Amino acid sequence: MSEAVTRTVTSPSALLASLDPLLRDWLPRQRWFAGKGRPVTGFSLVAATELLPSDARLGLYHVLVRAHQQLASAPGGPEGPGDCYQLLIGVREALPPRLAPALIGHVTEGPLAGRTAYDALYDTRPAEVLLEALRTRARIGGLRFEREPEREIRAGLVPRLMTAEQSNSSVVYGDTFILKVLRRIVPGINPDLELPLALAREGCPRVPAPAGWMVADLAGRSWVLGVLQPYVQGAADGWELALRELAKGEEFVAEARALGRATAEVHTALARALPTVTLAQGQVRQLADGMIERLEAAAHAVPLLRPYAPALRTAFTALGDLAAEGRTWTAQRVHGDLHLGQCLRSPSGQWSLIDFEGEPAKPLAERRMPQPPVRDVAGMLRSFDYAAHSADAPVPGWAGSCRAAYCTGYAEVAGADPRTDPVMLRAHETDKAVYEVLYEARHRPDWLAVPLSAVRRLSTPEPA
Ligand SMILES: Nc1ncnc2c1ncn2[C@@H]1O[C@H](COP(=O)(O)OP(=O)(O)O)[C@@H](O)[C@H]1O
Ligand SMILES: O=P(O)(O)O[C@H]1O[C@H](CO)[C@@H](O[C@H]2O[C@H](CO)[C@@H](O)[C@H](O)[C@H]2O)[C@H](O)[C@H]1O
């Protein structure tokens, strides 16, 4: 079955039939596979494009495949619509040892029988094909490769796949560019391209400006597949830096303040570039109701959260009460999943924010909605707390001084200190801590104590 297969692959159903048994085993094991824990019941091809001829020594397919899965982990349950994944599949007679980690499997049936399929992003030539296509603004089947007109991309930059644990896959080209290849893809405007592009066009220097991007045009809709940005050489992320300072027993207040300023610069530029709205009573109630629903779902999934749920809920009802008194707020486009790991510091000390995808599990429309900017502030405040709890030896007062310095830096640029709106801030910090409880329970149970300690703090009323 295929939704919209490009003409370049002569026999797409045979291609999928060849790969199906291999993908069933390989795909769910990938770090970026979003549907962990639910059995894959089958695949359907969304599009397939031959980027290098399959009869050559090295063949290369660009494949968009939908993985059908049961909605629950128990066998025999109902099926959901399934997520669509982007794969670059290389085929060779045999894999050289350097490509062993890329192995998908040995094909036993169909047109590729006898050959070996592998994740081609690990390989030099296929990664070069992508950069060359971006450089030359190629159109291949339904794939469109775009480049910012004034942006030069030098030919022949040497690629290397980043090996960090990621939600997507990134290839660095000659320490000059980084191409983020999105793995779970959705149709529509993608904030991971939309927001950095808007910020760059606004002249905001706090984000690496997109130099190019890849899109699939399918059945009248565009799917963003990847974004090429300048690579910040020698950068360290905020999480690494914070842990390094903590290990030395050092403060991080100067950096926290600079991060507050950088966040506010990004918010100010986003508010100029994209629409803002006023949230009145109805919308604030909706916002608070969404937070309550997330709390209930998290408490259902994580029993350790249940004793705190009634007290946490008051953070959300207080927000609704304030709106009922006639208080309004401005909402705008925000980062949506800001934490120390999303902040890069260049060797000259300049901070950039990356990864504007938002919380990947949320639908695109929700991720693109204007939100109170304090949402990002709350994410960063939680991150300082996370860092303090992850240190080998505790440094008393470390998180508190970072949190205060961050708000001070934010206020210096934005003109308003987030601490002057404690109800909105507490609601967002509580919502984030609840999200983290669920995230850690699912992905890193050893870390659950970190957000749970925040939950304890947030559920205890502040002394008057
Ligand atoms: N422009 C950049 N310059 C240098 N390193 C970068 C850049 N963009 C991303 N990175 C590195 O790549 C990692 C993953 O990027 P990110 O956008 O967060 O991807 P993902 O959505 O897959 O998590 C970051 O943690 C950072 O180390
Ligand atoms: O980086 P992602 O966009 O994939 O974000 C997810 O994973 C993060 C962990 O890698 C998680 O962040 C949480 O842990 C961080 C430390 O590892 C900490 O700095 C953050 O404050 C904390 O929220 C994030 O929540 C999740 O969406």
Side-chain angles (χ1 to χ4, degrees):
M1 184 174 62
S2 72
E3 290 174 24
V5 176
T6 60
R7 259 175 259 125
T8 41
V9 171
T10 43
S11 181
S13 50
L15 173 71
L16 184 62
S18 306
L19 296 173
D20 185 300
L22 306 181
L23 293 181
R24 274 175 200 255
D25 173 52
W26 177 81
L27 192 68
R29 286 191 282 114
Q30 302 313 299
R31 159 74 165 89
W32 39 262
F33 181 69
K36 293 227 163 58
R38 290 180 285 123
V40 173
T41 51
F43 296 101
S44 55
L45 200 60
V46 178
T49 312
E50 199 174 66
L51 295 179
L52 292 173
S54 59
D55 52 2
R57 187 185 62 84
L58 160 61
L60 176 61
Y61 292 101
H62 182 278
V63 174
L64 301 179
V65 71
R66 193 175 293 285
H68 299 280
Q69 288 188 274
Q70 281 171 208
L71 285 174
S73 55
E79 248 189 33
D83 290 319
C84 184
Y85 292 94
Q86 173 174 210
L87 312 178
L88 276 130
I89 298 186
V91 284
R92 287 172 174 261
E93 294 299 333
L95 278 194
R98 70 181 167 84
L99 291 177
L103 177 71
I104 295 177
H106 304 286
V107 186
T108 53
E109 315 164 19
L112 301 175
R115 307 188 73 188
T116 300
Y118 67 104
D119 182 349
L121 285 178
Y122 283 77
D123 200 357
T124 313
R125 178 75 191 110
E128 283 169 354
V129 168
L130 295 182
L131 188 71
E132 192 54 18
L134 288 163
R135 203 178 74 77
T136 57
R137 297 159 128 176
R139 302 282 185 271
I140 310 173
L143 303 180
R144 183 156 53 85
F145 295 84
E146 302 285 2
R147 169 169 61 77
E148 276 288 65
E150 74 285 3
R151 188 58 85 115
E152 287 272 318
I153 300 175
R154 203 154 48 79
L157 293 170
V158 177
R160 76 180 147 84
L161 180 67
M162 286 199 36
T163 49
E165 292 273 290
Q166 278 184 251
S167 314
N168 298 286
S169 298
S170 296
V171 181
V172 177
Y173 291 92
D175 274 2
T176 306
F177 290 107
I178 179 165
L179 173 64
K180 172 153 148 182
V181 176
L182 301 178
R183 290 303 198 162
R184 191 171 68 91
I185 58 158
V186 286
I189 297 171
N190 192 315
D192 220 359
L193 172 61
E194 180 196 21
L195 296 188
L197 210 49
L199 286 163
R201 290 177 178 168
E202 198 57 43
C204 175
R206 297 282 157 237
V207 52
W213 50 93
M214 307 162 49
V215 176
D217 293 312
L218 297 171
R221 303 201 71 185
S222 293
W223 306 54
V224 175
L225 303 175
V227 183
L228 185 76
Q229 287 177 306
Y231 182 69
V232 185
Q233 281 184 39
D237 72 45
W239 178 254
E240 276 170 68
L241 288 171
L243 290 191
R244 211 183 288 166
E245 294 310 301
L246 271 161
K248 291 190 280 183
E250 296 286 339
E251 295 239 325
F252 195 60
V253 287
E255 295 300 358
R257 185 166 161 192
L259 279 166
R261 294 181 65 93
T263 310
E265 280 178 47
V266 165
H267 283 170
T268 311
L270 284 176
R272 273 199 311 265
L274 295 163
T276 63
V277 294
T278 301
L279 299 181
Q281 190 174 348
Q283 290 102 322
V284 178
R285 196 161 289 288
Q286 258 182 357
L287 182 74
D289 286 349
M291 291 173 170
I292 291 170
E293 271 170 36
R294 288 193 284 276
L295 169 64
E296 280 165 4
H300 179 73
V302 187
L304 282 171
L305 186 60
R306 287 180 203 161
Y308 305 102
L312 295 176
R313 202 185 154 98
T314 63
F316 308 138
T317 50
L319 188 57
D321 294 347
L322 213 54
E325 288 167 18
R327 173 81 197 270
T328 59
W329 286 266
T330 301
Q332 62 160 95
R333 297 298 301 281
V334 298
H335 180 286
D337 191 17
L338 195 59
H339 56 81
L340 281 162
Q342 315 282 38
C343 307
L344 292 184
R345 197 188 68 176
S346 71
S348 67
Q350 295 299 311
W351 284 101
S352 311
L353 307 191
I354 57 165
D355 197 4
F356 284 77
E357 194 179 16
E359 282 172 22
K362 286 195 175 151
L364 198 63
E366 207 178 309
R367 289 192 256 148
R368 293 190 60 233
M369 266 172 10
Q371 301 181 52
V374 75
R375 185 179 163 75
D376 287 343
V377 171
M380 287 299 291
L381 297 184
R382 290 288 316 115
S383 218
F384 293 120
D385 197 47
Y386 251 75
H389 278 85
S390 309
D392 290 334
V395 179
W398 190 94
S401 59
C402 286
R403 289 161 58 95
Y406 178 81
C407 289
T408 301
Y410 189 90
E412 282 163 4
V413 173
D417 190 316
R419 290 169 291 186
T420 58
D421 192 357
V423 172
M424 194 52 134
L425 186 57
R426 176 172 170 234
H428 277 88
E429 223 194 315
T430 305
D431 188 44
K432 189 74 192 178
V434 167
Y435 164 85
E436 288 167 343
V437 166
L438 195 58
Y439 177 86
E440 301 301 3
R442 283 193 181 145
H443 298 271
R444 307 185 295 193
D446 292 354
W447 289 58
L448 193 52
V450 179
L452 277 178
S453 74
V455 157
R456 263 192 298 279
R457 174 173 59 80
L458 289 159
S459 59
T460 316
E462 299 273 323

